[in-house]
Amino acid sequence: MILGVIADDFTGASDIASMLVRAGLRTVQTIGLPDGPAPDADAVVVALKSRTAPVADAVRESLAALAWLRAAGAQRFYFKYCSTFDSTAEGNIGPVTDALMTALGTDITVMCPALPENGRTVYAGHLFVGDTLLSESGMRHHPLTPMTDANLLRVLQPQVPAGQGIGLVRHGTVAKGADAVRRELDTLRARGVRYAVTDAVDNADLKVLAEATSDLPLVTGGSGLALGLRAEAPRTDATSLPPVGGHAAVLSGSCSVATNAQVNDWIASGRPAYRIDAMQFGADGAPDPAEAALAWAAPRLAGGPVLIYATSTPDEVRAVQAHFGVEQAGVLVEDCLARVACGLVDLGVRRLVTAGGETSGAVVNALDVNQLRIGPTIDPGVPWTHAEQRGLLLAMKSGNFGTVDFFAKALGQVA
């Protein structure tokens, strides 16, 4: 194994895995901490559900993943978080990075969330979504990790131990090439900087940064930095997956702007869709929402793919959170969609698209999927994957990723 990756959620893990197979690395994604021998792969991505976990839990799980990857023979390590740098106010990006650095005995690493292919760029230490500051994008309304500050150095500061330096590798330095970046990292290290935020506005910048950090035992970032990685002998079969039969379906729990548009596009095209109204959970006389969704889907699956969604607008999300509480609202939706996923598989669904990191995590856990072989990319950051033990093809989409016609495009690839 060449590379060990620790990802803080399930769709983020698939995101970086898709970049690795593009680089010619045969890649396996595990769901949770692996158990048993290392799979036959050039890279292994351990998908945790640690982004919104309590800090101590996130650190413990990440260190356990690191220990397994080291024992499995990984030579370099990558902590993967979202390209929108979102986490809780207390972490978990800073605390996990610090713990991994300490375990590996390294004194500096880079913080590189940029993913220009999906409109995430960093300039002057500020994160942009398209041409909008992160703090003015739809991420300011995220139900679990709202991002109201685009200055990455300022976001990171309260997450790291007091007195540990945070620095910036500016775009002007990156534009001069890998040697210039290495010199700047040496300068920052000499000043006591432990965390170096890096500007990057295009893929060329990411490739420079990947080259400049090739001797660091640990890098951190979104999936973009992986674009600069290259296998010494790229595998021509890195994206090959077996065909499966059966029905197809989409489950959407993300409430991001992108996913709302994708749900609306599916409905506008006349395809069958069923909305789960979270306000009806536990209402007197209301049917069980998962059972109702499955009863609706059962007679329609033979006619083609169906969409079942709990995706809502920001105002609707706030109303649900006010009614149930933020944490309980999320649990109710995740549990419902996970039960729907199990029911759909029982009905013969073998090609399943999920939208949203929390939704995807709940679904794979409910289906008892523990390992995925990574296949071809649908849109940047979103591949098809194969769960061999269940005979399923799964595409797990981060809420903010994908073109407006993503659902139909994804299922069209494996029709």
Side-chain angles (χ1 to χ4, degrees):
M1 188 195 311
I2 298 170
L3 182 68
V5 181
I6 301 164
D8 68 357
D9 82 343
F10 294 98
T11 55
S14 296
D15 173 12
I16 190 168
S18 72
M19 300 297 186
L20 296 174
V21 296
R22 285 171 59 181
L25 296 166
R26 196 155 187 251
T27 304
V28 167
Q29 175 181 332
T30 71
I31 307 302
L33 188 66
D35 182 18
D40 177 22
D42 303 311
V44 173
V45 181
V46 178
L48 302 177
K49 194 178 180 183
S50 58
R51 182 171 301 169
T52 57
V55 170
D57 292 346
V59 168
R60 184 182 64 254
E61 293 170 9
S62 300
L63 288 175
L66 174 66
W68 185 91
L69 289 165
R70 293 179 85 173
Q75 301 166 28
R76 294 190 65 214
F77 302 92
Y78 195 131
F79 172 38
K80 197 278 176 191
Y81 39 78
C82 188
S83 59
T84 48
F85 210 71
D86 59 302
S87 189
T88 62
E90 298 78 19
N92 289 330
I93 293 173
V96 170
T97 300
D98 182 69
L100 295 175
M101 292 177 71
T102 299
L104 290 168
T106 185
D107 58 358
I108 194 168
T109 192
V110 292
M111 318 294 288
C112 182
L115 182 57
E117 289 186 353
N118 276 342
R120 278 61 163 173
T121 57
V122 180
Y123 186 78
H126 288 69
L127 182 53
F128 289 80
V129 177
D131 58 0
T132 301
L133 283 167
L134 175 69
S135 53
E136 298 174 11
S137 73
M139 281 301 297
R140 70 188 187 278
H141 298 307
H142 193 287
L144 297 177
T145 54
M147 296 301 293
T148 57
D149 192 348
N151 185 316
L152 298 182
L153 285 78
R154 200 158 52 214
V155 170
L156 189 60
Q157 189 64 68
Q159 297 185 17
V160 302
Q164 293 194 357
I166 301 172
L168 174 63
V169 179
R170 296 183 179 276
H171 186 257
T173 300
V174 178
K176 294 176 182 176
D179 287 341
V181 173
R182 290 191 192 97
R183 289 193 296 271
E184 181 64 13
L185 290 175
D186 287 341
T187 299
L188 293 173
R189 182 188 284 112
R191 285 171 34 201
V193 168
R194 189 167 167 84
Y195 316 92
V197 174
T198 58
D199 282 354
V201 300
D202 56 27
N203 285 353
D205 291 341
L206 293 173
K207 292 175 182 177
V208 167
L209 291 168
E211 180 183 349
T213 58
S214 61
D215 59 343
L216 295 182
L218 173 72
V219 294
T220 85
S223 64
L225 194 58
L227 285 171
L229 300 176
R230 286 292 178 268
E232 291 184 7
R235 301 237 193 165
T236 58
D237 63 345
T239 63
S240 177
L241 296 180
V244 302
H247 302 313
V250 181
L251 286 179
S252 179
S254 169
C255 296
S256 70
V257 173
T259 303
N260 267 282
Q262 289 155 356
V263 167
N264 291 335
D265 179 76
W266 179 279
I267 295 170
S269 69
R271 297 181 175 92
Y274 181 91
R275 181 174 186 263
I276 293 173
D277 183 359
M279 291 298 288
Q280 297 301 308
F281 289 143
D284 291 342
D288 177 84
E291 292 179 1
L294 289 167
W296 170 86
R300 292 174 171 83
L301 286 169
V306 301
L307 164 67
I308 297 174
Y309 67 102
T311 296
S312 304
T313 66
D315 287 343
E316 291 169 334
V317 171
R318 284 189 285 269
V320 172
Q321 291 178 335
H323 184 72
F324 294 105
V326 173
E327 183 175 351
Q328 183 63 13
V331 168
L332 288 169
V333 172
E334 290 170 31
D335 175 70
C336 178
L337 291 175
R339 289 189 291 128
V340 171
C342 292
L344 289 172
V345 171
D346 289 342
L347 290 169
V349 168
R350 295 294 179 268
R351 291 161 288 145
L352 182 63
V353 178
T354 61
E358 301 299 320
T359 298
S360 299
V363 165
V364 295
N365 281 332
L367 291 172
D368 198 26
V369 171
N370 55 41
Q371 186 169 294
L372 298 166
R373 180 70 65 178
I374 306 303
T377 296
I378 304 162
D379 272 337
V382 195
W384 274 108
T385 71
H386 182 237
E388 183 178 6
Q389 69 270 38
R390 295 302 301 265
L392 301 174
L393 290 180
L394 299 172
M396 298 180 289
K397 184 190 82 72
S398 176
N400 291 297
F401 283 9
T403 57
V404 70
D405 62 343
F406 176 84
F407 297 151
K409 180 196 302 181
L411 293 172
Q413 283 191 4
V414 292

